[in-house]
Amino acid sequence: MCARYGIVDPFRLSNRFSLPSELPGLAPRYNAAPTQLLPVVIEGGGENRLETMRWGLIPAWAKDTRIGNTLINARSETVSEKPSFRGPFRSRRCLIPASHFFEWAETAHGRLPHAIRLRDQELFAMAGIYDVNTWAAAGPVRGFALLTTTPNELMATLHDRMPAILRPEDEATWLDPNAGPGDLRALLRPYPAEAMEAYAVGRLVNAPRVDTPEVLRPFAP
């Protein structure tokens, strides 16, 4: 399960994802956590758009919005079958921009968080799905879940799952409303291990309220 990630430099989102140049209200996120409002990229009218959504997918049919607190990840192997996810997988897909994510691994020093990023430290996109729920008293709620897949060689040393990171050339296909299920599933494969790196960080990241650069500081047990 992936339960934390970050976007260190959101001001690069515009160029990276072909968005309108004006992206007001964005701030760096170092330790984004479930239930928080976060930026995702969707396709709309033939162009990419940035939307703010809640991390935690709330199915359109759910009358209790608390279900979104647990639907933060979706397994790529079963996303087209699960009642909560098959509709969004078919027609409501998104890109989840990130500069890094965190995973916890069992070590000789206890369960330690690790930061994982691309070696070139570029922004990347995790495959996501979203839905719109209208049962909330405050009005419609848009929530998203990120897709996970089997781990590459690097991630296998930390966890048995990893986010489904899309190659840049595959992002347009993921957002394409006309893409078929087979073409989409083919994109949900482990990202090349040689393009990624991981290092241990301190347990400060365990607290969702701590959203500062310190959570990325290397930790030597």
Side-chain angles (χ1 to χ4, degrees), residues 33-109:
T35 75
Q36 295 177 353
L37 295 175
L38 298 161
V40 301
V41 178
I42 65 171
E43 190 278 337
E47 63 181 13
N48 289 352
R49 296 205 325 257
L50 194 73
E51 299 279 347
T52 300
M53 298 187 190
R54 182 185 187 273
W55 186 5
L57 186 145
I58 306 171
W61 44 261
K63 295 184 179 180
D64 186 347
T65 58
R66 289 175 296 181
I67 190 175
N69 297 345
T70 58
L71 298 182
I72 63 171
N73 291 175
R75 294 176 68 93
S76 59
E77 297 89 342
T78 57
V79 67
S80 62
E81 305 165 10
K82 297 291 185 180
S84 297
F85 300 140
R86 61 191 176 200
F89 176 68
R90 190 164 50 243
S91 59
R92 291 179 291 280
R93 297 180 299 277
C94 61
L95 305 176
I96 305 169
S99 58
H100 61 275
F101 63 95
F102 297 98
E103 199 53 79
W104 281 254
E106 296 294 341
T107 75
H109 303 278

Side-chain angles (χ1 to χ4, degrees), residues 195-206:
M196 302 175 68
E197 60 184 11
Y199 63 94
V201 296
R203 292 185 174 89
L204 195 64
V205 71
N206 292 356

